[in-house]
Amino acid sequence: MINRPQISVIAPVYNEIQSLPELVHRVQTVLDQIGMSWELLLVDDGSTDGSTELILRLATENQHIRPVIFARNFGHQLAVTAGLDYSHGNAVIIMDADLQDPPEVIKDLIEKWKEGYEVVYAVRTEREGESWFKLATASLFYRLIYRITDVKIPLDSGDFRLLDRSVVEVLKQMRERHRFLRGMSVWVGFKQTGVPYRRAARFAGKTKYPFRKMFKFAFDAITSFSYLPLQIATYLGFVSAGISILAIPVVVLLRQSGSQAFFGQATTLIAVLFLGGVQLISLGILGEYIGRIYDEAKGRPLYIVRYPINQENGQKQKEV
Ligand code: UDP
Ligand code: MG
């Protein structure tokens, strides 16, 4: 029999051994104050620093903690997805394990939920302890996504949010591999609202999102919600075809009037290189989309869980 708590908190964990005890302590304090039943799902995304063992130990000491241990690193978004899959709460809260999303904000999220909102996202009004580069790229990213996609993702809101069970059930049916959860949770509709908060600095350790991962994440976000990159190739095609058609009479006239403009190899070379470049970029963009279709076509599981084993089916759990 599954005990259905009122609130599930999901935290994806990737090498956060130093933050975990503090995270558990603060979440516990806040939720005990609120006085609702709760569970904390710690999804270990293939940690190598001993976080896995710590999570399993914390779970034996604290009955609120439910560990989900991945077989390897699958990435932040999939760790959160697993959390959603394994959660039982009537409201589910997603937050980072590094305490950048202060657990105290959970109170505000739950208050809005009680007012009847089904998605309550936390909007960061300030961010502490982050490099100017991260701030600038993040700000640019949110504004770009807002401009080019059809889903109006609220500016400066991350994955820190509360989702009602009805929304979680819809999200659980969306099994796309390259996922941008904050876009997906807007796409589903429902009654949504925001709550402002100050994003704290990391409690300990370094960011697990180096530039390479950030770039991939941005690309996943764009490709899952927009065809604009594909359309850009079409626009470029029309523009360069248009320019060349206009250029023909111009060059003929110039030649007849004895001008030496656009004469010689350099002009040809530049035109060929330019078009070659545009074509390769277009092919690359096409490739990105096709690669994603290929990934979906393979239909592999989104993530592999090492522990708990088939807990949902009531089968025996692996011994800790
Ligand atoms: N994370 C994860 N898998 C990864 C990278 C990160 O589960 O491959 C977790 C990480 O432990 C943290 C959250 O995702 O709880 C956000 O990551 P991070 O704090 O490094 O990102 P930032 O806040 O710097 O954008
Ligand atoms: Mg962080």
Side-chain angles (χ1 to χ4, degrees):
M1 243 295 280
I2 292 162
N3 249 337
R4 212 171 239 285
Q6 285 163 300
I7 308 288
S8 297
V9 179
I10 299 173
V13 177
Y14 182 48
N15 296 343
E16 306 282 7
I17 193 164
Q18 287 164 291
S19 310
L20 279 174
E22 179 74 9
L23 174 76
V24 171
H25 172 70
R26 278 173 63 184
V27 168
Q28 173 126 35
T29 311
V30 170
L31 283 154
D32 285 349
Q33 276 172 11
I34 295 172
M36 297 170 103
S37 59
W38 60 280
E39 61 177 0
L40 170 62
L41 284 128
L42 294 174
V43 186
D44 172 48
D45 187 13
S47 297
T48 51
D49 69 342
S51 297
T52 316
E53 292 71 27
L54 180 59
I55 291 174
L56 290 172
R57 207 186 71 224
L58 287 170
T60 56
E61 292 166 2
N62 187 334
Q63 34 130 4
H64 293 291
I65 297 180
R66 292 185 53 211
V68 178
I69 311 290
F70 277 6
R72 66 167 167 86
N73 181 256
F74 280 90
H76 172 212
Q77 297 287 300
L78 290 174
V80 174
T81 305
L84 294 176
D85 293 344
Y86 280 83
S87 70
H88 294 306
N90 296 326
V92 177
I93 293 159
I94 303 170
M95 60 188 294
D96 286 354
D98 60 359
L99 291 163
Q100 284 198 279
D101 306 329
E104 293 69 31
V105 181
I106 291 177
K107 278 186 198 150
D108 302 339
L109 298 178
I110 290 182
E111 220 158 84
K112 286 282 175 197
W113 176 59
K114 282 184 175 163
E115 282 174 26
Y117 291 99
E118 287 144 323
V119 177
V120 189
Y121 48 86
V123 185
R124 34 207 179 205
T125 48
E126 277 174 60
R127 301 177 75 154
E128 289 167 13
E130 291 193 283
S131 67
W132 67 266
F133 182 74
K134 175 98 182 184
L135 294 181
T137 46
S139 167
L140 186 75
F141 169 70
Y142 284 111
R143 275 139 196 91
L144 181 75
I145 291 283
Y146 193 84
R147 286 291 292 273
I148 71 173
T149 62
D150 298 332
V151 281
K152 289 302 165 219
I153 299 157
L155 292 175
D156 303 316
S157 70
D159 283 328
F160 188 21
R161 59 187 60 219
L162 178 148
L163 305 170
D164 185 74
R165 172 59 36 198
S166 49
V167 179
V168 174
E169 290 305 319
V170 177
L171 286 176
K172 276 165 71 175
Q173 291 169 26
M174 295 162 67
R175 303 313 284 174
E176 60 213 67
R177 175 160 311 271
H178 300 275
R179 37 185 60 221
F180 182 52
L181 277 164
R182 47 200 92 158
M184 289 161 65
S185 68
V186 172
W187 183 87
V188 296
F190 290 91
K191 242 179 116 185
Q192 312 219 350
T193 189
V195 162
Y197 82 110
R198 287 178 58 174
R199 189 156 164 92
R202 238 178 188 282
F203 181 73
K206 280 202 303 254
T207 175
K208 310 299 179 317
Y209 262 99
F211 184 68
R212 182 178 48 81
K213 271 197 196 169
M214 263 168 31
F215 194 75
K216 186 182 164 293
F217 181 62
F219 225 94
D220 282 345
I222 294 170
T223 51
S224 30
F225 285 97
S226 168
Y227 296 128
L228 187 76
L230 289 172
Q231 288 159 344
I232 286 176
T234 319
Y235 298 148
L236 279 175
F238 277 114
V239 169
S240 58
I243 292 175
S244 58
I245 287 170
L246 290 178
I248 295 169
V250 174
V251 172
V252 169
L253 284 177
L254 283 172
R255 229 15 72 76
Q256 278 179 347
S257 63
S259 162
Q260 295 291 308
F262 303 115
F263 203 72
Q265 277 181 359
T267 324
T268 321
L269 199 66
I270 289 169
V272 168
L273 283 179
F274 175 75
L275 279 181
V278 168
Q279 282 174 0
L280 285 179
I281 292 170
S282 309
L283 266 183
I285 291 172
L286 213 62
E288 289 286 344
Y289 280 87
I290 293 175
R292 282 167 170 75
I293 299 172
Y294 180 51
D295 276 345
E296 297 294 351
K298 280 190 284 194
R300 292 189 184 160
L302 293 182
Y303 54 81
I304 301 165
V305 168
R306 189 152 61 88
Y307 176 92
I309 296 173
N310 290 332
Q311 195 186 30
E312 306 295 297
N313 306 337
Q315 291 180 7
K316 183 174 165 286
Q317 281 188 28
K318 197 172 167 181
E319 294 299 323
V320 188

